[in-house]
Amino acid sequence: MTLDEIDKIKEEGLRECDAVKTLPELEAVRIKYIGRNGFLPQIMKGLKDVSPDERSEYGRIANEFKNRVGSALDLKKAELAAGGAANGESTFDYSMPGIWRGLGAKHPISSIIEETIRIFGRLGFTVAEGPDVETGYHNFEALNTPAHHPSLDNTDTFWLETGELLRTQTSPVQIRVMEGRKPPVRIITPGRCYRRDTTDATHSANFHQVEGLYVDRNVSLADLKGTLAYFAREMMGPGVDVRFRPHFFPFTEPSVEADFTCHVCGGKGCRVCKNSGWIEIAGAGMVDPRVFKKVGYDSEEFTGYAFGMGIERIAMIKYGINDIRFLYENDARFLQQFV
Amino acid sequence: MKVPISWLKEYVDFDASPEELANKLTFSGTEVESIQTIGGDYKGVVVGEIKTIEKHAGADNLLICQVNNGREDLQVVCGARNFNVGDKAPFAMVGAKLPNGMEILERKVRGVLSRGMLCAEDELALSDDHGGIMLVSRDIPAGTPFSEVAGPPETVFGIEITWNRPDCLSIIGMAREIAALFGTKLKLPSVDFMERGEPVDVMAEVDLQDAEGCPRYTARVLTDIRLKPSPQWMQRRLTLCGVRPINNVVDITNYVLLECGQPLHAFDYELLRDHKIIVRRGFSGERMSTLDGVERQTLDKAVLIADPVRPVALAGIMGGAGSEINDNTRNVLLESAYFNPPDIRRTSSKLGLSTESSYRFERGVDIGGVDWASRRAAALMVEHADAVAAQGVIDVYPGKQENRKIKCRFSRVRSVLGVDVPDEQIVGIMKFLELQVAGHEKDHCIVEVPTFRPDLQIEADLVEEVARINGLDKVAAVVPQAKVVVDADDSVTRAVIACRSNLTGLGLMEIMNYSFLSEQLLNAVSTVDIDSRVVLPNPVSSDYSVMRNSLIPHMVDTLGRNLAHQVDNAALFEIGKVFLKAADSSISEENHICVGLMGKAGRVGLSQRRPVVSEEIFLWIKGIVESLAAAQHVDDVVFKTAEHAGMEKGWAAVIEAAGKPCGILGVVKPEIRKKWRMIEPIAIAEINAAVFVSNIFRQVQLKPIPVYPAVSRDVAMVVNESVRHEDVIKIIKKAAPRELTGVELFDIFRSEQIGACRKSMAYSLTYRSLERTLTDEDANRYHEAIKDALKNELKAEIREGK
Ligand SMILES: [Zn+2]
């Protein structure tokens, strides 16, 4: 049998299969084409007569014959079994629930972290991570926090028996990165932090932050504002703007708090923003030269900005979650909503 | 901090509504958190005199009073009982409207007519106190409008002062900020007074032994004092700031503290042995009683104020019992000093004792203003306590330093802020802030920092001053430029994100638990791990007292709590850190992946009512781990039977990748499940994430798609129950030619015909050659060899049929 002949038989088979109206007719077609004495065994037998260099092509065509005709027969069989063609109308209950395993869902905290990584990733920020168990040096001293600052107290910070602590912010990662390389540095540092807060609707002893750091020549507060404004719109939606209020953090000078336009009311004032039209989101500022000194950077040559945001807070505002505890209760009825 | 606006206006002129002022302060770094109106116009509220008190026949907790409003007696039913006949109290008559919006109507209370109300402080918006009616002096005639007693309404700001700005912890400090913001001048009160007494160094002595803990100490002596209540205006200001008036001497020290931020202490001069003050460190084992009546025991190295025989004050924190102002006090030694912030912080924190005084000292008071505060208090005592001031002051000031000078380069200010502030504007801002501009050159100025601004140390601190006074709204939001740092690598984070996506793709929901948990929860799953637990020395509560060393306890708990909420199917995962203590007590962290299944999570379609058996749920979770491994490109994953404290015996397997154990999976022990009332089996897997994320970015190398047809052959065999799938696979693979490209177990069944302890296993084998089309004969030959091997090595009875 030539390859063309095989193709022709295949086409005929497909046509016949398409034309049948009953199961017995279909069985006859099956026997004719792929039954024990049908075309298929003949085609397979023909293989041994083919010259070695044509064998591969012959095999491929034979295989295609088997697959195409076989699946056409299967499909037709299913169609006839469902009764469609036999009675002229279908009795199949299309309204039955579909059957496929459902999709899972990421935790809202993960979603916000991943979204943040994506947004800053477009600007060329890469992720840096560090240990949760930190040294006092990296968590406080290198960040220009004096030893008598109240945040060092064991009423505020979880100190461990080793003399280490559970980091109270992800800023120590900034220090570790700067210790390890020369500028430019362009990183964000998402991660888990710990403070000795008693849990209530807005406080959690275990929480997540993402911080950002950009050190280079000629970095200014205006660059920081532009970057946060970009993030604000990407994360919360178009029309969301940023404003700065002066604040104090030991590791930045000047320090600011950044508010985003309330995305719920568009800045007109509502319950979510306590009628101010703004929502406090980030702490930020220009890296204090005293911090640069600790990591051996020349603050005359380089300047930098840093910012930090609470992931839970963003998640709560974005998704309308009014109690931080929902995020850690892992109630399936809550998590399911984030599919 | 509470700041009454009327008090501010004594030191600074400004023209702005409270809201405008609050806004200006907030946007210059002093956050106004609340604006409170104290008091009201009190229309219809007068001073009432209580003439009679009777019990209400119908209610034990009510009294019936006749109250005189200056014209007539009115019957009032009252729920409070903190008064006697003859007392006077604010009386709201019928028709009055109180600041809280309440309107007074004539009404019957349990059948008795009530024509007005005796008011508590909260009802008058004077405080939150609702502990009884407010009583006023019996000297005030009945019928006096209450507005004359209470004064006009006041606006009080609640202000949050950041840690770096101790100078703002006072009314004058705030006034100074406001003066800078409005470009006006600060007006300070007079501190002049007559010194009519003996020279102070004849009357008292100061021996400053600890110059590090106390760089400056001043003492004044005031004699012939008459203790009495302080003037009304002073009491009112103290009350507005939340300080309870006591007597003129104590009130004056508190007043000056609030006014200028300098804590003062007044000793009873006669109770100081030899009228001598010694400033020194506490000895080990030394103890003293403080004013609050508590015996303080750990004074070792604390800075103390002592006389020659005993400590008389915990420096900068609290006075001692036995030297304080009392009813018989006539002569006072007034202390005004500067204590070293870290010392005060350490002692305050060690003793768990924080006061208005320690709060300021630990942030740093104005060392240059110590004597000014002392003079201010002395002047007030001369005026309001009839005091005779001794001549001069003892001022021991070993820590005196020249004022710091900082160079401020105009171009640096502009480049850091990204704002084009003119030179003159920068210099102007310094001047408004009362910073001395010592030199003004072409491109910079020299700023001399006064002692009240200890926070200004380097040029960057001055840049911040310009930023906040000039206004951060002047900072433009520059459109960000993307910039690539070429050698930065965050592939591990991206691999974890991929892992999370793969798990959700497999139908699992992510959970997130705390990094710490209760010992009880850990013990509920296992106690074999005790040595590796990192215990928190100062947990918030016993529920969060140990760092987790495994994600399994939280997973079991999460499944159990969901079941209690009637969620009976769940497929969950968590990715998180565990913390492990080594034998040398050092702590290491590992990222783990945990998967938990409950109920029919793995069953799709119908037949949901059939209970889940251990075998099913075990194979589901194994399937998840296998799929995840494939998705994360982890090769050579094998499962080996294992023992695990939390897993049922025979239903646990260790997960190995590249020959090394990297996790565990299995069915949780019934006795553990029982604690959460979980009757059906649950399955859990825990994997060390490092192994599962290390390979994900491996490049795929495409293999050719087969061009020749495959031939498949089935083999069904009856074997002993003890024969495992892995045994069968091993034998097939050994006996198979390289043309065997797939083996699939497609059926297992047991029946009476097969016999007890026997099972039938059916496999589908696929043969395919890369070089040619296989013939039936080829396939049969391969297949027979495999069947022979199975027969010989497993004693398998091959079931022929196909
Ligand atoms: Zn709003």
Side-chain angles (χ1 to χ4, degrees):
Chain A
M1 225 177 282
T2 69
L3 296 181
D4 282 350
E5 280 167 344
I6 296 173
D7 257 346
K8 223 169 117 197
I9 296 168
K10 181 183 78 188
E11 293 305 323
E12 272 169 33
L14 291 173
R15 214 166 28 243
E16 280 184 39
C17 180
D18 197 38
V20 299
K21 296 266 188 294
T22 65
L23 284 169
E25 281 172 40
L26 184 69
E27 180 61 8
V29 176
R30 190 190 71 79
I31 291 167
K32 178 175 170 190
Y33 285 91
I34 61 174
R36 201 173 287 260
N37 297 309
F39 286 117
L40 181 63
Q42 279 182 49
I43 292 167
M44 295 311 270
K45 228 176 274 165
L47 185 66
K48 63 177 189 296
D49 306 326
V50 179
S51 70
D53 36 328
E54 283 176 342
R55 209 164 258 195
S56 138
E57 181 62 5
Y58 190 94
R60 191 183 66 76
I61 297 286
N63 214 17
E64 195 182 309
F65 179 95
K66 181 180 156 193
N67 290 340
R68 290 284 303 277
V69 177
S71 60
L73 287 162
D74 287 348
L75 276 172
K76 193 71 185 184
K77 191 173 176 184
E79 186 187 320
L80 294 176
N87 308 334
E89 73 179 54
S90 172
T91 57
F92 169 67
D93 180 2
Y94 68 89
S95 67
M96 284 196 299
I99 297 177
W100 195 255
R101 189 191 312 284
L103 272 182
K106 289 183 183 181
H107 192 280
I109 290 176
S110 294
S111 299
I112 297 290
I113 290 176
E114 291 186 7
E115 181 68 359
T116 305
I117 292 173
R118 187 192 66 77
I119 294 167
F120 283 104
R122 288 181 63 182
L123 296 177
F125 286 80
T126 47
V127 180
E129 297 189 87
D132 291 19
V133 175
E134 261 296 358
T135 63
Y137 176 80
H138 285 96
N139 195 80
F140 291 121
E141 193 186 332
L143 290 157
N144 192 39
T145 310
H148 69 287
H149 193 278
S151 62
L152 271 80
D153 270 16
N154 57 10
T155 51
D156 287 16
T157 296
F158 292 104
W159 289 90
L160 301 172
E161 269 160 5
T162 55
E164 294 163 297
L165 52 83
L166 298 179
R167 64 179 176 191
T168 61
Q169 48 200 3
T170 55
S171 326
V173 182
Q174 302 184 10
I175 299 296
R176 288 179 180 276
V177 170
M178 288 193 284
E179 282 171 344
R181 63 165 298 147
K182 291 284 148 210
V185 171
R186 199 162 164 89
I187 53 166
I188 56 167
T189 64
R192 188 170 273 207
C193 310
Y194 310 84
R195 285 180 200 170
R196 284 194 79 256
D197 282 327
T198 306
T199 303
D200 61 24
T202 54
H203 293 87
S204 174
N206 172 136
F207 61 98
H208 295 77
Q209 263 194 347
V210 61
E211 296 193 7
L213 172 71
Y214 176 43
V215 183
D216 208 336
R217 292 189 177 84
N218 302 317
V219 180
S220 77
L221 199 62
D223 296 322
L224 169 64
K225 201 174 196 178
T227 303
L228 287 178
Y230 173 75
F231 172 76
R233 279 190 293 275
E234 288 287 309
M235 180 59 88
M236 306 310 288
V240 173
D241 216 342
V242 168
R243 74 172 186 193
F244 279 173
R245 280 177 292 110
H247 201 68
F248 167 73
F249 304 107
F251 33 90
T252 47
E253 193 79 44
S255 300
V256 301
E257 273 185 331
D259 301 333
F260 289 6
T261 317
C262 175
H263 65 293
V264 177
C265 62
K268 290 197 252 322
C270 68
R271 203 175 45 81
V272 173
C273 57
K274 298 194 185 95
N275 284 319
S276 70
W278 295 90
I279 298 177
E280 182 187 324
I281 297 283
M286 301 301 292
V287 180
D288 196 305
R290 285 161 281 218
V291 174
F292 279 157
K293 200 170 169 189
K294 293 273 185 191
V295 298
Y297 281 12
D298 178 357
S299 60
E300 282 298 305
E301 186 177 0
F302 298 103
T303 50
Y305 62 67
F307 56 85
M309 300 178 275
I311 299 294
E312 281 81 352
R313 183 163 170 77
I314 295 175
M316 289 169 77
I317 288 162
K318 185 162 167 154
Y319 300 126
I321 301 166
N322 56 18
D323 191 321
I324 200 169
R325 287 169 287 202
F326 279 124
L327 291 166
Y328 291 100
E329 268 165 16
N330 299 309
D331 188 321
R333 297 163 299 177
F334 168 87
L335 297 169
Q336 227 140 32
Q337 301 184 36
F338 296 93
V339 171
Chain B
M1 187 179 64
K2 287 186 174 175
V3 177
I5 292 188
S6 64
W7 196 353
L8 279 175
K9 288 202 162 163
E10 189 173 321
Y11 314 118
V12 61
D13 292 323
F14 57 89
D15 185 18
S17 69
E19 288 71 23
E20 286 162 0
L21 179 62
N23 203 45
K24 244 182 150 129
L25 284 170
T26 295
F27 283 91
S28 63
T30 313
E31 192 183 345
V32 177
E33 290 181 310
S34 63
I35 303 176
Q36 199 187 351
T37 304
I38 305 282
D41 58 10
Y42 299 128
K43 279 213 180 80
V45 184
V46 298
V47 172
E49 180 179 354
I50 295 149
K51 306 290 266 194
T52 64
I53 305 173
E54 287 169 55
K55 284 198 173 141
H56 190 301
D60 285 349
N61 54 346
L62 295 178
L63 298 175
I64 301 168
C65 311
Q66 297 298 324
V67 179
N68 186 280
N69 67 356
R71 291 193 307 273
E72 54 182 329
D73 289 356
L74 295 166
Q75 179 171 286
V76 172
V77 178
C78 181
R81 29 184 75 237
N82 64 321
F83 50 85
N84 297 305
V85 170
D87 276 345
K88 289 185 176 154
F91 175 53
M93 295 182 296
V94 171
K97 199 168 177 183
L98 298 181
N100 64 5
M102 185 196 282
E103 227 171 307
I104 306 299
L105 303 170
E106 187 174 295
R107 61 192 185 118
K108 279 193 172 173
V109 181
R110 298 278 178 101
V112 177
L113 189 68
S114 182
R115 300 170 65 193
M117 185 173 91
L118 293 165
C119 303
E121 289 191 9
D122 66 334
E123 287 151 347
L124 298 166
L126 289 172
S127 76
D128 299 331
D129 189 4
H130 194 74
I133 62 168
M134 178 184 180
L135 296 177
V136 301
S137 166
R138 287 191 179 203
D139 301 339
I140 305 170
T144 307
F146 184 65
S147 58
E148 287 177 20
V149 179
E154 276 281 356
T155 305
V156 178
F157 283 172
I159 296 187
E160 191 204 322
I161 305 294
T162 53
W163 191 80
N164 61 324
R165 291 299 303 274
D167 62 302
C168 286
L169 289 168
S170 66
I171 305 293
I172 288 177
M174 287 310 308
R176 189 182 283 120
E177 276 289 299
I178 293 165
L181 290 171
F182 285 84
T184 56
K185 200 102 187 98
L186 182 70
K187 299 175 290 183
L188 290 180
S190 157
V191 291
D192 293 335
F193 56 94
M194 289 286 290
E195 294 179 343
R196 294 188 292 130
E198 304 258 310
V200 68
D201 39 16
V202 174
M203 300 189 69
E205 188 187 341
V206 172
D207 177 10
L208 201 168
Q209 298 177 356
D210 178 24
E212 190 208 344
C214 178
R216 187 174 189 187
Y217 194 96
T218 69
R220 277 195 156 76
V221 175
L222 297 129
T223 57
D224 304 299
I225 277 172
R226 197 162 74 85
L227 283 184
K228 59 182 176 185
S230 53
Q232 273 299 320
W233 59 266
M234 185 180 288
Q235 290 197 30
R236 181 171 164 77
R237 283 182 172 173
L238 292 175
T239 309
L240 288 172
C241 291
V243 176
R244 194 163 53 89
I246 294 169
N247 60 44
N248 49 2
V249 173
V250 174
D251 290 358
I252 285 167
T253 58
N254 285 334
Y255 183 82
V256 174
L257 165 76
L258 296 173
E259 184 181 48
C260 70
Q262 171 67 48
L264 302 170
H265 189 69
F267 295 99
D268 185 321
Y269 173 77
E270 303 303 339
L271 298 178
L272 295 171
R273 179 72 66 94
D274 302 340
H275 309 310
K276 180 172 177 179
I277 290 286
I278 303 166
V279 185
R280 60 170 173 83
R281 298 273 169 169
F283 316 124
S284 141
E286 193 170 11
R287 48 180 64 190
M288 73 176 288
S289 290
T290 39
L291 271 178
D292 53 3
V294 178
E295 167 121 358
R296 307 284 169 181
Q297 311 219 342
T298 44
L299 302 180
D300 189 19
K301 297 202 186 74
V303 183
L304 297 181
I305 311 302
D307 68 12
V309 293
R310 58 170 184 172
V312 292
L314 212 47
I317 300 174
M318 189 178 270
S323 62
E324 78 271 32
I325 304 301
N326 56 72
D327 293 347
N328 302 318
T329 299
R330 296 274 293 148
N331 304 325
V332 160
L333 184 139
L334 179 68
E335 165 197 291
S336 179
Y338 178 94
F339 299 109
N340 183 33
D343 275 307
I344 300 302
R345 178 74 202 162
R346 191 162 46 242
T347 306
S348 156
S349 158
K350 198 163 79 179
L351 299 177
L353 180 61
S354 179
T355 60
E356 288 283 330
S357 168
S358 69
Y359 189 81
R360 286 172 173 79
F361 279 123
E362 70 191 29
R363 283 162 175 75
V365 301
D366 174 13
I367 195 168
V370 165
D371 186 48
W372 187 92
S374 169
R375 293 170 66 90
R376 173 70 171 148
L380 288 169
M381 285 186 196
V382 169
E383 188 178 348
H384 299 291
D386 307 341
V388 175
Q391 290 171 38
V393 60
I394 301 174
D395 186 352
V396 192
Y397 194 175
K400 185 159 185 159
Q401 286 175 350
E402 286 218 358
N403 283 353
R404 190 180 295 112
K405 290 195 175 70
I406 306 172
K407 184 173 172 181
C408 178
R409 293 164 299 172
F410 305 135
S411 60
R412 177 79 177 181
V413 173
R414 290 188 280 265
S415 70
V416 169
L417 297 183
V419 180
D420 201 15
V421 205
D423 299 359
E424 310 75 58
Q425 178 102 355
I426 296 171
V427 174
I429 286 169
M430 300 300 155
K431 287 180 177 162
F432 281 139
L433 287 164
E434 296 198 0
L435 312 180
Q436 307 302 316
V437 177
H440 181 174
E441 307 293 326
K442 192 164 144 294
D443 60 349
H444 72 271
C445 63
I446 304 288
V447 174
E448 190 178 325
V449 181
T451 50
F452 61 77
R453 289 301 302 272
D455 59 312
L456 302 182
Q457 295 177 347
I458 60 174
E459 190 181 41
D461 300 324
L462 299 178
V463 174
E464 176 166 77
E465 295 304 294
V466 176
R468 64 185 193 87
I469 302 296
N470 188 53
L472 287 171
D473 52 338
K474 311 274 192 319
V475 179
V478 172
V479 176
Q481 305 263 307
K483 176 164 177 137
V484 172
V485 177
V486 280
D487 52 346
D489 176 20
D490 57 8
S491 54
V492 172
T493 307
R494 285 183 288 125
V496 172
I497 290 174
C499 184
R500 185 179 292 118
S501 298
N502 287 327
L503 285 161
T504 54
L506 287 166
L508 306 177
M509 238 165 16
E510 187 181 18
I511 60 169
M512 214 173 263
N513 281 292
Y514 275 11
S515 293
F516 20 68
L517 73 181
S518 69
E519 205 178 338
Q520 199 188 357
L521 177 53
L522 273 172
N523 291 347
V525 173
S526 164
T527 51
V528 300
D529 60 314
I530 277 181
D531 291 342
S532 75
R533 294 180 187 172
V534 177
V535 178
L536 290 179
N538 59 337
V540 204
S541 82
S542 61
D543 287 342
Y544 311 121
S545 60
V546 187
M547 300 302 290
R548 54 182 178 175
N549 54 6
S550 159
L551 304 186
I552 293 176
H554 268 144
M555 182 57 82
V556 175
D557 186 50
T558 303
L559 291 172
R561 281 187 294 109
N562 271 294
L563 186 64
H565 293 145
Q566 298 173 297
V567 175
D568 39 20
N569 301 334
L572 309 177
F573 76 96
E574 178 164 16
I575 302 177
K577 280 183 180 172
V578 301
F579 302 82
L580 304 162
K581 188 166 90 178
D584 65 355
S585 288
S586 65
I587 301 166
S588 61
E589 299 174 22
E590 283 177 5
N591 217 11
H592 279 198
I593 303 162
C594 187
V595 177
L597 297 180
M598 173 172 73
K600 287 104 189 163
R603 194 179 289 159
V604 294
L606 305 177
S607 74
Q608 292 287 326
R609 285 297 169 87
R610 181 160 47 83
V612 170
V613 295
S614 296
E615 183 177 320
E616 255 181 309
I617 204 160
F618 181 96
L619 294 177
W620 290 339
I621 202 153
K622 188 179 176 193
I624 290 168
V625 172
E626 286 169 338
S627 303
L628 181 67
Q632 300 286 119
H633 299 168
V634 188
D635 299 327
D636 313 322
V637 172
V638 295
F639 299 85
K640 290 186 176 163
T641 177
E643 300 253 325
H644 185 272
M647 308 291 183
E648 216 172 319
K649 201 169 159 60
W651 294 93
V654 64
I655 306 162
E656 283 187 9
K660 286 198 198 110
C662 64
I664 181 90
L665 64 79
V667 177
V668 175
K669 278 181 179 167
E671 55 265 41
I672 296 173
R673 272 160 29 210
K674 220 164 58 189
K675 292 169 188 159
W676 283 267
R677 299 169 176 274
M678 291 188 274
I679 295 154
E680 293 194 3
I682 60 166
I684 289 188
E686 184 174 33
I687 305 161
N688 187 335
V691 180
F692 266 54
V693 302
S694 58
N695 225 2
I696 188 157
F697 298 113
R698 186 185 62 194
Q699 300 280 341
V700 169
Q701 286 301 315
L702 190 68
K703 295 187 197 90
I705 310 278
V707 285
Y708 299 102
V711 182
S712 73
R713 289 286 183 273
D714 294 347
V715 55
M717 61 191 159
V718 175
V719 291
N720 280 333
E721 230 10 294
S722 62
V723 170
R724 292 205 195 97
H725 169 67
E726 63 181 6
D727 305 330
V728 175
I729 295 292
K730 220 179 278 169
I731 290 160
I732 290 176
K733 289 205 166 152
K734 209 169 82 187
R738 64 195 176 95
E739 282 80 2
L740 179 75
T741 54
V743 184
E744 193 191 344
L745 173 66
F746 70 87
D747 196 24
I748 290 187
F749 79 94
R750 300 168 176 85
S751 71
E752 274 178 38
Q753 280 136 321
I754 290 170
C757 299
R758 306 267 284 166
K759 61 186 172 187
S760 165
M761 302 176 89
Y763 288 85
S764 166
L765 283 68
T766 309
Y767 302 99
R768 189 200 296 270
S769 162
L770 288 175
E771 291 109 30
R772 62 193 175 92
T773 300
L774 295 180
T775 62
D776 279 351
E777 291 77 54
D778 292 330
N780 292 345
R781 196 172 67 247
Y782 303 149
H783 205 56
E784 286 309 316
I786 287 171
K787 285 200 265 190
D788 285 345
L790 291 169
K791 259 186 258 178
N792 294 337
E793 300 199 32
L794 291 178
K795 311 268 177 299
E797 179 191 313
I798 306 294
R799 289 152 58 90
E800 300 293 349
K802 205 176 169 187

